[in-house]
Amino acid sequence: MTKKISEDKGYTSKIKSSAIFVAFILVVGTALQTTMILFPGQILIEAFADEVIGTDGDDDISTGSEDDFNTGGGGDDNVDSDGGSDLNTGDNFVGAGDGGDDTIDSGDGDDFNTGDNLQGSGIGGDDTIDSGDGDDINTGDNAFGDGDGGDDTIDSGDGNDQNVGDNFVGAGDGGDDKINSGKGNDVNYGDNLGQLGGGAAGDGGNDKINSGEGDDFNVGDNELGDGDSGDDKINSGKGDDQNFGDNVDGSGDGDDKINAGQGDDISSGGDGSDKFQCGSGIDTTDFDEAEGDKATGNCEDVEKGNGKNK
């Protein structure tokens, strides 16, 4: 059924190549001028440095409005990078290890935030990321690495954002994540973007995605690869949105709830007993009564091509 939606409604994959992010990291790296290393428990306030590296303890890192490069290290860290285009990592920049429960507040600007390891595997901590306005890329757990996800919260503000609840490129069972993306054309994944070569990505957590005004692309579970799905909730706001309750390839059988909001939206729940709420606009679903699906509002059945009110 997902395939039919793709053919009929012009579904386009929203994957951004990892090469873009590697290039981004390299460009940021060329701009680094100084390195400041904290002693355990030290609090750095308004340091006008380009790079700050925390310790294995619980660190508080606060940098100014420049373009900053911050790494929390081990422990439960707080990173506040204010404005600018920042690269913030809650735990290890390069290296494996289980993540702490980190908090990242990157302010306005085009930021790249990773809750746990940027390059390296490990079990994710329960992280909180607030990236402010700007075109941000936020990953709750590992950007490039495997590991089961923590229960993360991401608030990305206004801008064209990409949010991944668990691992960006990597596999692992998902945590129960919350993603709130503001106004803009956003791409949100509750679990993993997945393995670039496909295959098993990991079982999904029970995620909640609230996407604001804009033409958004929301996936409750995995983009690339398969795995058992969680019971996800997606609320897409005003705009022409694409919503997938389970994995984009159609696998998974979570019991999902999708509220399509205003606009011409397409929604797929996958297998499982799914609930669709269609708003104003022309909304298309893969409604299947045989699987226990329920729909309210003017939901057009992609199989039958008819408006369906229940």
Side-chain angles (χ1 to χ4, degrees):
M1 285 181 282
T2 302
K3 183 177 180 180
K4 292 181 179 179
I5 290 179
S6 302
E7 292 171 347
D8 296 342
K9 303 296 288 186
Y11 158 71
T12 302
S13 178
K14 300 292 184 178
I15 301 169
K16 296 183 179 179
S17 170
S18 62
I20 296 175
F21 304 110
V22 172
F24 174 86
I25 293 166
L26 292 177
V27 168
V28 172
T30 62
L32 300 180
Q33 301 295 323
T34 62
T35 299
M36 299 189 68
I37 301 177
L38 298 181
F39 294 101
Q42 180 180 353
I43 299 177
L44 182 64
I45 303 297
E46 291 298 324
F48 294 96
D50 292 304
E51 181 178 357
V52 179
I53 299 176
T55 69
D56 289 336
D58 299 338
D59 304 309
D60 289 328
I61 299 174
S62 180
T63 55
S65 59
E66 299 175 346
D67 298 340
D68 303 312
F69 178 98
N70 300 310
T71 303
D76 301 333
D77 306 309
N78 296 315
V79 178
D80 186 348
S81 62
D82 201 8
S85 298
D86 305 315
L87 176 60
N88 297 310
T89 303
D91 294 299
N92 301 309
F93 182 74
V94 177
D98 295 344
D101 299 335
D102 305 309
T103 299
I104 297 175
D105 187 346
S106 61
D108 295 344
D110 300 336
D111 306 312
F112 189 111
N113 298 309
T114 303
D116 295 307
N117 303 314
L118 189 140
Q119 185 176 351
S121 299
I123 298 174
D126 299 336
D127 305 308
T128 300
I129 298 174
D130 186 344
S131 62
D133 294 343
D135 298 338
D136 305 313
I137 301 168
N138 300 308
T139 302
D141 295 304
N142 303 310
F144 302 97
D146 300 331
D148 293 344
D151 300 335
D152 306 308
T153 300
I154 298 175
D155 292 301
S156 62
D158 293 344
N160 299 326
D161 305 313
Q162 178 155 325
N163 301 307
V164 179
D166 294 304
N167 301 313
F168 186 84
V169 178
D173 293 342
D176 299 335
D177 305 309
K178 297 178 182 179
I179 297 175
N180 301 304
S181 64
K183 183 178 180 180
N185 300 328
D186 304 313
V187 181
N188 300 309
Y189 303 96
D191 294 308
N192 306 306
L193 189 145
Q195 306 276 34
L196 292 179
D203 295 340
N206 301 323
D207 307 306
K208 296 179 181 179
I209 298 175
N210 298 307
S211 64
E213 182 177 344
D215 299 336
D216 304 315
F217 182 90
N218 301 309
V219 180
D221 294 303
N222 303 307
E223 162 77 59
L224 296 172
D226 51 27
D228 291 340
S229 297
D231 301 332
D232 305 308
K233 296 180 180 179
I234 297 175
N235 295 307
S236 62
K238 183 178 180 180
D240 299 336
D241 306 312
Q242 298 181 60
N243 302 309
F244 293 82
D246 293 327
N247 303 309
V248 172
D249 67 2
S251 63
D253 57 357
D255 299 333
D256 306 307
K257 297 179 180 179
I258 298 177
N259 185 345
Q262 300 180 28
D264 298 339
D265 307 310
I266 63 172
S267 300
S268 171
D271 294 334
S273 300
D274 305 308
K275 295 181 180 180
F276 301 96
Q277 173 67 52
C278 297
S280 60
I282 302 173
D283 296 330
T284 305
T285 72
D286 66 348
F287 182 91
D288 190 345
E289 286 183 321
E291 294 177 353
D293 293 344
K294 297 181 180 180
T296 57
N298 190 32
C299 299
E300 181 178 295
D301 190 333
V302 70
E303 291 284 322
K304 300 177 181 179
N306 63 317
K308 194 173 190 68
N309 291 284
K310 297 186 78 67

Tab-separated table of all heavy atoms in Angstrom, residues 122-172:
chain	number	residue	atom	x	y	z
A	122	GLY	N	27.092	3.080	20.863
A	122	GLY	CA	26.841	3.022	22.297
A	122	GLY	C	25.366	3.183	22.576
A	122	GLY	O	24.608	3.691	21.754
A	123	ILE	N	24.949	2.727	23.751
A	123	ILE	CA	23.549	2.867	24.159
A	123	ILE	C	23.271	4.331	24.466
A	123	ILE	O	24.049	5.002	25.142
A	123	ILE	CB	23.255	1.992	25.385
A	123	ILE	CG1	23.480	0.508	25.043
A	123	ILE	CG2	21.826	2.209	25.884
A	123	ILE	CD1	23.361	-0.414	26.232
A	124	GLY	N	22.176	4.836	23.939
A	124	GLY	CA	21.870	6.248	24.088
A	124	GLY	C	21.336	6.616	25.455
A	124	GLY	O	20.648	5.827	26.108
A	125	GLY	N	21.662	7.817	25.877
A	125	GLY	CA	21.080	8.365	27.094
A	125	GLY	C	19.748	9.033	26.800
A	125	GLY	O	19.286	9.076	25.657
A	126	ASP	N	19.123	9.556	27.846
A	126	ASP	CA	17.854	10.282	27.695
A	126	ASP	C	18.194	11.764	27.539
A	126	ASP	O	18.382	12.489	28.527
A	126	ASP	CB	16.962	10.047	28.918
A	126	ASP	CG	16.610	8.577	29.107
A	126	ASP	OD1	16.637	7.826	28.123
A	126	ASP	OD2	16.322	8.183	30.255
A	127	ASP	N	18.272	12.204	26.310
A	127	ASP	CA	18.779	13.540	25.999
A	127	ASP	C	17.660	14.513	25.635
A	127	ASP	O	16.595	14.109	25.165
A	127	ASP	CB	19.772	13.463	24.836
A	127	ASP	CG	20.899	12.475	25.105
A	127	ASP	OD1	21.524	12.586	26.170
A	127	ASP	OD2	21.129	11.590	24.253
A	128	THR	N	17.953	15.797	25.841
A	128	THR	CA	17.031	16.871	25.478
A	128	THR	C	17.772	17.852	24.586
A	128	THR	O	18.834	18.351	24.952
A	128	THR	CB	16.502	17.602	26.731
A	128	THR	OG1	15.814	16.673	27.573
A	128	THR	CG2	15.545	18.712	26.333
A	129	ILE	N	17.209	18.121	23.403
A	129	ILE	CA	17.823	19.045	22.454
A	129	ILE	C	16.820	20.132	22.098
A	129	ILE	O	15.694	19.845	21.679
A	129	ILE	CB	18.273	18.325	21.168
A	129	ILE	CG1	19.337	17.269	21.479
A	129	ILE	CG2	18.789	19.321	20.134
A	129	ILE	CD1	19.733	16.425	20.278
A	130	ASP	N	17.220	21.391	22.272
A	130	ASP	CA	16.433	22.547	21.865
A	130	ASP	C	17.317	23.355	20.922
A	130	ASP	O	18.283	23.989	21.351
A	130	ASP	CB	16.031	23.378	23.083
A	130	ASP	CG	15.074	24.518	22.734
A	130	ASP	OD1	14.962	24.848	21.533
A	130	ASP	OD2	14.461	25.080	23.663
A	131	SER	N	16.980	23.318	19.630
A	131	SER	CA	17.892	23.911	18.642
A	131	SER	C	17.478	25.305	18.183
A	131	SER	O	18.168	25.896	17.340
A	131	SER	CB	18.030	22.985	17.428
A	131	SER	OG	16.788	22.801	16.781
A	132	GLY	N	16.375	25.841	18.680
A	132	GLY	CA	15.986	27.191	18.303
A	132	GLY	C	15.634	27.307	16.837
A	132	GLY	O	15.446	26.323	16.124
A	133	ASP	N	15.551	28.553	16.358
A	133	ASP	CA	15.215	28.790	14.956
A	133	ASP	C	16.451	28.603	14.085
A	133	ASP	O	17.585	28.793	14.517
A	133	ASP	CB	14.668	30.207	14.774
A	133	ASP	CG	13.328	30.414	15.487
A	133	ASP	OD1	12.688	29.402	15.831
A	133	ASP	OD2	12.943	31.576	15.703
A	134	GLY	N	16.205	28.242	12.826
A	134	GLY	CA	17.287	27.976	11.892
A	134	GLY	C	17.089	26.628	11.240
A	134	GLY	O	16.174	25.869	11.597
A	135	ASP	N	17.920	26.318	10.251
A	135	ASP	CA	17.849	25.028	9.562
A	135	ASP	C	18.764	24.062	10.288
A	135	ASP	O	19.979	24.010	10.045
A	135	ASP	CB	18.270	25.185	8.098
A	135	ASP	CG	17.348	26.120	7.326
A	135	ASP	OD1	16.190	26.309	7.762
A	135	ASP	OD2	17.780	26.654	6.285
A	136	ASP	N	18.173	23.271	11.192
A	136	ASP	CA	18.951	22.452	12.118
A	136	ASP	C	18.877	20.975	11.768
A	136	ASP	O	17.913	20.496	11.166
A	136	ASP	CB	18.435	22.649	13.548
A	136	ASP	CG	18.422	24.108	13.965
A	136	ASP	OD1	19.430	24.792	13.748
A	136	ASP	OD2	17.379	24.567	14.481
A	137	ILE	N	19.910	20.249	12.191
A	137	ILE	CA	19.957	18.797	12.079
A	137	ILE	C	20.182	18.255	13.480
A	137	ILE	O	21.230	18.505	14.090
A	137	ILE	CB	21.074	18.339	11.128
A	137	ILE	CG1	20.871	18.928	9.732
A	137	ILE	CG2	21.131	16.815	11.061
A	137	ILE	CD1	22.059	18.770	8.814
A	138	ASN	N	19.217	17.530	14.001
A	138	ASN	CA	19.272	17.038	15.377
A	138	ASN	C	19.127	15.522	15.417
A	138	ASN	O	18.223	14.963	14.803
A	138	ASN	CB	18.152	17.663	16.212
A	138	ASN	CG	18.235	19.181	16.274
A	138	ASN	OD1	19.274	19.732	16.604
A	138	ASN	ND2	17.132	19.858	15.948
A	139	THR	N	20.007	14.872	16.164
A	139	THR	CA	19.967	13.425	16.347
A	139	THR	C	19.930	13.126	17.837
A	139	THR	O	20.817	13.561	18.589
A	139	THR	CB	21.192	12.748	15.709
A	139	THR	OG1	21.247	13.070	14.316
A	139	THR	CG2	21.120	11.242	15.875
A	140	GLY	N	18.943	12.376	18.282
A	140	GLY	CA	18.803	12.102	19.706
A	140	GLY	C	19.902	11.229	20.269
A	140	GLY	O	20.324	11.423	21.411
A	141	ASP	N	20.380	10.266	19.489
A	141	ASP	CA	21.401	9.349	19.991
A	141	ASP	C	22.689	9.482	19.170
A	141	ASP	O	23.318	10.512	19.213
A	141	ASP	CB	20.840	7.919	20.033
A	141	ASP	CG	19.692	7.802	21.038
A	141	ASP	OD1	19.891	8.135	22.220
A	141	ASP	OD2	18.585	7.412	20.639
A	142	ASN	N	23.084	8.470	18.405
A	142	ASN	CA	24.349	8.518	17.670
A	142	ASN	C	24.124	8.996	16.234
A	142	ASN	O	23.219	8.529	15.553
A	142	ASN	CB	24.997	7.129	17.642
A	142	ASN	CG	25.220	6.564	19.038
A	142	ASN	OD1	25.780	7.240	19.899
A	142	ASN	ND2	24.782	5.330	19.269
A	143	ALA	N	25.000	9.893	15.782
A	143	ALA	CA	24.881	10.355	14.395
A	143	ALA	C	25.378	9.290	13.431
A	143	ALA	O	24.729	8.999	12.425
A	143	ALA	CB	25.657	11.659	14.207
A	144	PHE	N	26.540	8.715	13.716
A	144	PHE	CA	27.103	7.658	12.873
A	144	PHE	C	27.565	6.533	13.787
A	144	PHE	O	28.713	6.500	14.224
A	144	PHE	CB	28.279	8.196	12.040
A	144	PHE	CG	27.910	9.352	11.155
A	144	PHE	CD1	28.146	10.651	11.553
A	144	PHE	CD2	27.298	9.148	9.928
A	144	PHE	CE1	27.799	11.733	10.746
A	144	PHE	CE2	26.938	10.214	9.113
A	144	PHE	CZ	27.188	11.506	9.527
A	145	GLY	N	26.661	5.617	14.093
A	145	GLY	CA	26.984	4.517	14.984
A	145	GLY	C	25.736	3.786	15.416
A	145	GLY	O	24.616	4.292	15.283
A	146	ASP	N	25.925	2.564	15.920
A	146	ASP	CA	24.819	1.720	16.336
A	146	ASP	C	24.599	1.819	17.846
A	146	ASP	O	25.485	2.236	18.596
A	146	ASP	CB	25.102	0.262	15.972
A	146	ASP	CG	25.299	0.051	14.476
A	146	ASP	OD1	24.711	0.823	13.689
A	146	ASP	OD2	26.051	-0.876	14.097
A	147	GLY	N	23.427	1.387	18.273
A	147	GLY	CA	23.127	1.332	19.698
A	147	GLY	C	21.664	1.570	19.954
A	147	GLY	O	21.000	2.303	19.214
A	148	ASP	N	21.143	0.923	20.986
A	148	ASP	CA	19.746	1.148	21.353
A	148	ASP	C	19.570	2.589	21.819
A	148	ASP	O	20.444	3.171	22.462
A	148	ASP	CB	19.322	0.191	22.470
A	148	ASP	CG	19.286	-1.260	21.998
A	148	ASP	OD1	19.293	-1.491	20.768
A	148	ASP	OD2	19.254	-2.163	22.861
A	149	GLY	N	18.420	3.166	21.472
A	149	GLY	CA	18.187	4.575	21.747
A	149	GLY	C	17.646	4.836	23.135
A	149	GLY	O	16.970	3.997	23.734
A	150	GLY	N	17.942	6.031	23.636
A	150	GLY	CA	17.330	6.503	24.869
A	150	GLY	C	16.004	7.173	24.582
A	150	GLY	O	15.540	7.224	23.446
A	151	ASP	N	15.376	7.687	25.630
A	151	ASP	CA	14.103	8.403	25.492
A	151	ASP	C	14.426	9.897	25.370
A	151	ASP	O	14.643	10.590	26.372
A	151	ASP	CB	13.203	8.138	26.705
A	151	ASP	CG	12.877	6.656	26.869
A	151	ASP	OD1	12.914	5.928	25.873
A	151	ASP	OD2	12.601	6.235	28.015
A	152	ASP	N	14.460	10.372	24.148
A	152	ASP	CA	14.947	11.722	23.863
A	152	ASP	C	13.805	12.676	23.530
A	152	ASP	O	12.745	12.263	23.049
A	152	ASP	CB	15.923	11.689	22.683
A	152	ASP	CG	17.058	10.699	22.903
A	152	ASP	OD1	17.701	10.784	23.963
A	152	ASP	OD2	17.284	9.836	22.032
A	153	THR	N	14.066	13.965	23.764
A	153	THR	CA	13.127	15.026	23.417
A	153	THR	C	13.851	16.040	22.541
A	153	THR	O	14.920	16.536	22.913
A	153	THR	CB	12.581	15.725	24.669
A	153	THR	OG1	11.895	14.774	25.494
A	153	THR	CG2	11.622	16.843	24.287
A	154	ILE	N	13.260	16.344	21.379
A	154	ILE	CA	13.853	17.297	20.442
A	154	ILE	C	12.831	18.380	20.125
A	154	ILE	O	11.719	18.086	19.685
A	154	ILE	CB	14.299	16.611	19.139
A	154	ILE	CG1	15.381	15.550	19.417
A	154	ILE	CG2	14.800	17.635	18.135
A	154	ILE	CD1	15.774	14.745	18.195
A	155	ASP	N	13.217	19.646	20.338
A	155	ASP	CA	12.429	20.805	19.934
A	155	ASP	C	13.284	21.607	18.963
A	155	ASP	O	14.317	22.164	19.359
A	155	ASP	CB	12.054	21.674	21.141
A	155	ASP	CG	11.071	20.973	22.069
A	155	ASP	OD1	9.985	20.617	21.606
A	155	ASP	OD2	11.406	20.789	23.255
A	156	SER	N	12.839	21.671	17.707
A	156	SER	CA	13.725	22.235	16.687
A	156	SER	C	13.362	23.644	16.244
A	156	SER	O	14.064	24.218	15.405
A	156	SER	CB	13.787	21.313	15.466
A	156	SER	OG	12.528	21.161	14.858
A	157	GLY	N	12.288	24.234	16.747
A	157	GLY	CA	11.971	25.611	16.403
A	157	GLY	C	11.621	25.788	14.938
A	157	GLY	O	11.398	24.830	14.197
A	158	ASP	N	11.580	27.053	14.510
A	158	ASP	CA	11.241	27.353	13.122
A	158	ASP	C	12.460	27.149	12.226
A	158	ASP	O	13.603	27.315	12.650
A	158	ASP	CB	10.745	28.795	12.990
A	158	ASP	CG	9.409	29.023	13.693
A	158	ASP	OD1	8.733	28.023	14.012
A	158	ASP	OD2	9.043	30.197	13.924
A	159	GLY	N	12.190	26.817	10.962
A	159	GLY	CA	13.255	26.542	10.011
A	159	GLY	C	13.015	25.203	9.352
A	159	GLY	O	12.100	24.459	9.718
A	160	ASN	N	13.818	24.892	8.348
A	160	ASN	CA	13.721	23.607	7.657
A	160	ASN	C	14.649	22.621	8.360
A	160	ASN	O	15.848	22.556	8.072
A	160	ASN	CB	14.099	23.764	6.184
A	160	ASN	CG	13.182	24.734	5.463
A	160	ASN	OD1	11.985	24.819	5.760
A	160	ASN	ND2	13.721	25.475	4.504
A	161	ASP	N	14.075	21.837	9.265
A	161	ASP	CA	14.868	21.001	10.163
A	161	ASP	C	14.776	19.529	9.792
A	161	ASP	O	13.801	19.075	9.197
A	161	ASP	CB	14.386	21.174	11.606
A	161	ASP	CG	14.383	22.631	12.047
A	161	ASP	OD1	15.388	23.318	11.815
A	161	ASP	OD2	13.359	23.079	12.606
A	162	GLN	N	15.821	18.796	10.176
A	162	GLN	CA	15.787	17.340	10.096
A	162	GLN	C	16.073	16.782	11.475
A	162	GLN	O	17.116	17.078	12.065
A	162	GLN	CB	16.813	16.791	9.097
A	162	GLN	CG	16.813	15.268	9.057
A	162	GLN	CD	17.301	14.703	7.753
A	162	GLN	OE1	17.045	15.283	6.694
A	162	GLN	NE2	18.002	13.596	7.785
A	163	ASN	N	15.120	15.998	12.004
A	163	ASN	CA	15.211	15.459	13.355
A	163	ASN	C	15.119	13.943	13.331
A	163	ASN	O	14.215	13.378	12.714
A	163	ASN	CB	14.080	16.026	14.220
A	163	ASN	CG	14.114	17.544	14.314
A	163	ASN	OD1	15.131	18.127	14.653
A	163	ASN	ND2	12.989	18.190	13.997
A	164	VAL	N	16.040	13.302	14.040
A	164	VAL	CA	16.066	11.843	14.138
A	164	VAL	C	16.051	11.485	15.618
A	164	VAL	O	16.955	11.877	16.371
A	164	VAL	CB	17.318	11.253	13.455
A	164	VAL	CG1	17.332	9.738	13.596
A	164	VAL	CG2	17.370	11.652	11.987
A	165	GLY	N	15.049	10.748	16.038
A	165	GLY	CA	14.917	10.436	17.451
A	165	GLY	C	16.016	9.545	17.987
A	165	GLY	O	16.451	9.705	19.135
A	166	ASP	N	16.495	8.606	17.179
A	166	ASP	CA	17.519	7.676	17.656
A	166	ASP	C	18.806	7.850	16.839
A	166	ASP	O	19.419	8.884	16.911
A	166	ASP	CB	16.965	6.248	17.633
A	166	ASP	CG	15.826	6.084	18.635
A	166	ASP	OD1	16.027	6.369	19.828
A	166	ASP	OD2	14.720	5.707	18.229
A	167	ASN	N	19.232	6.859	16.057
A	167	ASN	CA	20.494	6.944	15.325
A	167	ASN	C	20.274	7.484	13.918
A	167	ASN	O	19.348	7.075	13.220
A	167	ASN	CB	21.151	5.572	15.243
A	167	ASN	CG	21.427	4.978	16.616
A	167	ASN	OD1	21.960	5.647	17.495
A	167	ASN	ND2	21.048	3.718	16.816
A	168	PHE	N	21.173	8.372	13.500
A	168	PHE	CA	21.053	8.914	12.153
A	168	PHE	C	21.465	7.857	11.132
A	168	PHE	O	20.648	7.388	10.356
A	168	PHE	CB	21.905	10.184	12.003
A	168	PHE	CG	21.715	10.865	10.683
A	168	PHE	CD1	20.668	11.741	10.500
A	168	PHE	CD2	22.563	10.612	9.620
A	168	PHE	CE1	20.464	12.355	9.279
A	168	PHE	CE2	22.372	11.219	8.400
A	168	PHE	CZ	21.325	12.094	8.219
A	169	VAL	N	22.722	7.478	11.093
A	169	VAL	CA	23.178	6.363	10.265
A	169	VAL	C	23.626	5.272	11.222
A	169	VAL	O	24.693	5.359	11.831
A	169	VAL	CB	24.328	6.772	9.322
A	169	VAL	CG1	24.809	5.556	8.519
A	169	VAL	CG2	23.867	7.866	8.374
A	170	GLY	N	22.804	4.253	11.378
A	170	GLY	CA	23.093	3.193	12.326
A	170	GLY	C	21.832	2.451	12.705
A	170	GLY	O	20.723	2.852	12.343
A	171	ALA	N	22.004	1.361	13.413
A	171	ALA	CA	20.885	0.506	13.798
A	171	ALA	C	20.814	0.382	15.314
A	171	ALA	O	21.790	0.605	16.030
A	171	ALA	CB	21.037	-0.881	13.169
A	172	GLY	N	19.641	0.009	15.787
A	172	GLY	CA	19.417	-0.191	17.217
A	172	GLY	C	17.949	-0.012	17.529
A	172	GLY	O	17.227	0.693	16.826
